[in-house]
Amino acid sequence: MNTITKLSKKNTLPTPPTSERSRFDNLPRHLAIIMDGNGRWAKERNLSRIEGHRAGAESVRVIVRSCRKIGIPVLTLYAFSKENWQRPSREVQALWRLLSRYLKSELGEMMENSIRLNAIGDIRELPRTVYRLLANTMEQTAANREMILNLALSYSGRSEIVKAAQKLADTCVKRELKPSEIDEAVFSTYLYTADMPDPDLLIRTSGERRISNFLLWQMAYTELYVSPVYWPDFREPELMEALDDYQRRERRFGKTGDQKGKEA
Ligand code: IPE
Ligand code: IPE
Ligand code: MG
């Protein structure tokens, strides 16, 4: 029985040994990852980009397991951006095949470990069979409570904000809401991440230092961490390094260092 299976049987997280306890303190409540570098990883090995994505899917399995084990409540993975539709269709199709395979092979583990799968993005744009499989997986895992795994698919941060604005405008036209009643809290409830905390930490792999249209609203105060490692090589040691780095940071939210932790 692996550690994660043991966790799910008890349905509580184990107390970590003292030496490791600091690792479990002050964890992000929401971790977001831009999984980048599959293509370059493959190129360096004279493999096809698709081979790179296959190796990247293995990192997804490992990182989801690790996050569940250490008790990160929300994990959001950027798997496919709206802009990624512009890639060669062979590559796009391979990505959907890999997603389908992932959803089928991981359902058992998601159930055992109480992981709720949720998709954010324009998932209606996905091929029908993939959409159905995704919708089924979301339905079957809907009551799982230990962790939310958000997959960003056909996702665009700007488009998410525009859609929220459209829905809000509709609500106002129907006179269910006054424009003056729209504040940040109300606006947030119209986003895909309505019932989730904003990401505390964003990791981007492969050394790229950009946001690429990811969670634009939600990342207002997110800590950023860039790893030089390509996504297929990003495994538990690299995740732990990122979390250690995050735990050492001082988050000020506009206050001074002295005010931190006190009411202003
Ligand atoms: C990330 O790896 C995976 C997706 C965007 C789907 P890339 O495919 O972007 O890899 P690089 O950036 O070309 O190395
Ligand atoms: C961002 O990666 C999207 C995902 C990780 C799915 P890209 O590799 O597509 O980003 P850009 O276009 O290089 O910024
Ligand atoms: Mg890339």
Side-chain angles (χ1 to χ4, degrees):
M1 202 192 284
N2 64 30
T3 324
I4 301 178
T5 318
K6 272 190 238 155
L7 289 181
S8 70
K9 294 275 170 337
K10 284 196 289 177
N11 221 13
T12 50
L13 291 163
T15 310
T18 316
S19 58
E20 278 186 40
R21 191 159 301 156
S22 65
R23 292 204 149 171
F24 289 75
D25 290 342
N26 185 30
L27 283 172
R29 284 160 308 159
H30 183 171
L31 169 64
I33 306 183
I34 302 180
M35 311 181 288
D36 201 7
N38 293 353
R40 278 162 285 166
W41 181 92
K43 196 168 182 189
E44 276 187 2
R45 288 161 180 76
N46 278 320
L47 298 169
S48 69
R49 295 182 55 84
I50 294 171
E51 288 297 330
H53 295 314
R54 192 167 301 151
E58 202 42 48
S59 289
V60 172
R61 287 191 179 89
V62 170
I63 296 303
V64 170
R65 242 172 242 168
S66 303
C67 287
R68 171 64 183 84
K69 192 170 66 181
I70 61 181
I72 291 182
V74 185
L75 172 66
T76 300
L77 300 177
Y78 205 2
F80 193 90
S81 69
K82 240 189 211 306
E83 291 76 17
N84 288 148
W85 286 110
Q86 299 166 72
R87 292 190 179 198
S89 86
R90 227 173 76 80
E91 180 173 343
V92 171
Q93 284 169 30
L95 286 166
W96 299 135
R97 270 199 306 280
L98 282 169
L99 172 65
S100 301
R101 205 174 299 163
Y102 176 83
L103 293 173
K104 286 179 196 160
S105 68
E106 299 309 292
L107 178 64
E109 199 166 311
M110 287 187 235
M111 295 311 293
E112 272 178 41
N113 298 305
S114 190
I115 298 172
R116 170 153 82 91
L117 184 96
N118 183 54
I120 62 171
D122 264 335
I123 58 170
R124 284 277 177 192
E125 292 177 352
L126 271 53
R128 254 181 102 70
T129 51
V130 185
Y131 171 81
R132 277 207 220 101
L133 180 61
L134 192 59
N136 276 339
T137 313
M138 282 162 63
E139 211 178 292
Q140 290 186 64
T141 60
N144 293 347
R145 288 285 172 266
E146 288 297 319
M147 174 174 153
I148 298 175
L149 170 59
N150 276 323
L151 292 184
L153 296 164
S154 195
Y155 176 87
S156 146
R158 284 191 172 176
S159 143
E160 177 184 31
I161 292 170
V162 168
K163 274 180 202 298
Q166 285 173 344
K167 282 188 240 157
L168 272 162
D170 250 359
T171 316
C172 291
V173 168
K174 289 185 202 143
R175 300 198 178 275
E176 290 164 15
L177 191 71
K178 291 188 199 131
S180 60
E181 287 169 339
I182 301 172
D183 59 12
E184 292 179 15
V186 169
F187 198 93
S188 297
T189 63
Y190 284 76
L191 297 170
Y192 296 124
T193 47
D195 45 0
M196 301 170 201
D198 288 338
D200 294 307
L201 174 65
L202 169 79
I203 298 175
R204 182 163 189 155
T205 60
S206 87
E208 301 294 355
R209 287 170 288 184
R210 53 180 179 266
I211 299 293
S212 301
N213 209 359
F214 193 35
L215 300 173
L216 297 179
W217 170 281
Q218 296 87 338
M219 292 215 282
Y221 257 106
T222 299
E223 294 292 325
L224 310 178
Y225 180 91
V226 172
S227 164
V229 171
Y230 293 143
W231 176 248
D233 288 330
F234 193 91
R235 301 291 164 96
E236 198 165 86
E238 289 75 22
L239 174 68
M240 290 307 169
E241 217 176 299
L243 293 174
D244 279 349
D245 188 280
Y246 167 79
Q247 286 171 322
R248 283 195 300 270
R249 296 188 190 188
E250 180 184 60
R251 301 185 75 191
R252 291 187 174 180
F253 300 100
K255 299 177 184 179
T256 69
D258 296 337
Q259 287 174 304
K260 201 172 61 82
K262 297 177 202 153
E263 281 309 306

